[in-house]
Amino acid sequence: EHLHIKDFTAIIDEEEKYDAVVLSDIVSYVGDAKRLLENTLRSMKTGGICYINSLVIDSMDFVLNPRGWPAVGNGEHTALFTSEGLRKILTEAGFKDIENYGSWKQEQLSEMIFWRCEK
């Protein structure tokens, strides 16, 4: 019913306010992904759900040719994660019941992973 757009990398004054948060293709674009995730968790109600999707560097194309990978460039991603690296930072931020509910690949050039997490 209500949609709020917030900068969760800044200091937030909202705690346990949101039932659900969507971080769509944002985690790898911020300078401090862990702070973003900690603030996101802080803003969620107990039992709240967070949906996250992010490019991951698990694709064979990245392993074989990281400099030629189309998602890396000036003004683009500031952090790159493997699937397990992203799971680790979600766990460190305090999320639980982290569930991978799919991935998307574009001709093996890039891979997007989708997560569902709970507070």
Side-chain angles (χ1 to χ4, degrees), residues 4-74:
H4 300 272
I5 299 173
K6 301 283 182 181
D7 178 1
F8 280 9
T9 61
I11 296 172
I12 61 168
D13 59 354
E14 301 167 321
E15 293 193 18
E16 298 201 17
K17 182 175 181 176
Y18 301 106
D19 296 312
V21 175
V22 177
L23 299 175
S24 181
D25 200 20
I26 190 71
V27 174
S28 63
Y29 287 96
V30 298
D32 191 347
K34 188 172 181 186
R35 182 176 181 165
L36 167 74
L37 295 171
E38 289 169 346
N39 284 346
T40 298
L41 190 69
R42 189 176 300 117
S43 73
M44 294 169 54
K45 292 179 181 177
T46 300
I49 298 172
C50 182
Y51 293 96
I52 299 170
N53 67 295
S54 179
L55 284 175
V56 291
I57 57 173
D58 294 346
S59 69
M60 187 52 71
D61 186 65
F62 182 83
V63 172
L64 297 175
N65 185 17
R67 292 190 184 273
W69 200 55
V72 178
N74 196 10

Side-chain angles (χ1 to χ4, degrees), residues 64-90:
L64 297 175
N65 185 17
R67 292 190 184 273
W69 200 55
V72 178
N74 196 10
E76 295 186 17
H77 299 272
T78 61
L80 297 172
F81 299 98
T82 62
S83 300
E84 285 308 308
L86 186 54
R87 178 184 289 277
K88 181 179 181 210
I89 197 169
L90 288 166

